[in-house]
Amino acid sequence: DRDGVLNVDRGYVCKLEDFEWIEGAKDCVKNFKDRGWFVFVVTNQSGIARGFYTEAEMETLHAHMAEELKAHGTGIDRFYHAPWHEEGEVARYRKASIDRKPGPGMLLQAMAEFPINREQSFLIGDKQTDMEAARAAGVGAFLFSGGNIATFAEWALASFEDGVRG
C-alpha cells in the first residue's frame, strides 16, 4: 500500500509539500529489493475520481518517491493505482472496479505482468480493505498500524516464513 504504509496518510496526499515518508519506509523498500524481490505499490486513489487532484499530479508524486528511493539505492518496480470511485465527481472515473481495494485487481495485474510466486508474496497495508484485497488475490496480508515500517516488515517476514499468512 502507499498512504499510511510508505507515507504519512494526511488524506488525499498528492502534493509534494504534503508528502512525508513513514519512518523506515525507504529502508523497508531497500531491504526487500536487496533480497532480489519485486516491490510494488498498490494504492486506491479516489481523490482523482473526486476531483481533488489529477492522475498527472499523482504521477508527479510517484516520480518524486522514485527519485528519493533511487537516491537511497533502491526503487519500486511498479506503481499501480485505482482512480475509480462509484461516487466520483469526475465522470470518467465514476465506476466500480475490481482494481479498487478491497478488490484484488491491482495485485492480479502485477502477478500477470511479473513472474511472481503467489505463495511467497504478501501485502502490507494499513486498512482492512488492504487485507481483503490480499486474501482475494491469494497472497499473505499484514496490517501495519504505525511505527517503523522497516521493523514491522522484518517481523511480518519472519511471521510469513513461519507460516503465518495474515
Side-chain angles (χ1 to χ4, degrees):
D1 189 33
R2 190 191 87 176
D3 301 326
V5 176
L6 291 178
N7 62 276
V8 175
D9 188 352
R10 294 194 165 104
Y12 305 107
V13 175
C14 69
K15 296 181 176 151
L16 296 182
E17 59 265 23
D18 295 333
F19 181 83
E20 178 185 352
W21 290 101
I22 291 274
E23 181 184 3
K26 292 182 218 176
D27 290 333
C28 178
V29 173
K30 184 165 180 20
N31 292 343
F32 286 174
K33 291 301 295 176
D34 286 352
R35 288 180 168 103
W37 296 352
F38 292 113
V39 176
F40 306 104
V41 172
V42 291
T43 178
N44 285 348
Q45 291 296 311
S46 71
I48 296 167
R50 297 172 194 274
F52 297 156
Y53 51 93
T54 66
E55 279 190 280
E57 289 171 309
M58 179 208 62
E59 289 167 3
T60 296
L61 181 65
H62 289 173
H64 169 75
M65 292 174 71
E67 287 173 20
E68 291 207 346
L69 288 168
K70 183 177 180 183
H72 198 69
T74 192
I76 300 291
D77 289 289
R78 178 137 331 138
F79 289 86
Y80 293 93
H81 72 283
W84 325 108
H85 196 281
E86 291 173 320
E87 299 172 10
E89 295 294 319
V90 180
R92 69 185 275 213
Y93 299 112
R94 188 183 316 121
K95 70 175 187 174
S97 173
I98 191 172
D99 291 339
R100 183 171 169 73
K101 295 177 285 180
M106 291 183 282
L107 296 166
L108 297 175
Q109 184 178 355
M111 287 187 258
E113 293 176 355
F114 290 84
I116 296 170
N117 182 326
R118 184 183 310 244
E119 292 76 29
Q120 293 181 343
S121 299
F122 61 91
L123 179 138
I124 298 174
D126 66 326
K127 295 182 177 65
Q128 283 303 317
T129 52
D130 299 318
M131 304 300 98
E132 292 170 31
R135 284 191 287 273
V139 301
F142 293 95
L143 185 64
F144 176 66
S145 60
N148 184 307
I149 187 63
T151 302
F152 176 84
E154 291 303 316
W155 167 85
L157 176 59
S159 299
F160 190 74
E161 290 173 341
D162 288 341
V164 177
R165 290 184 53 88

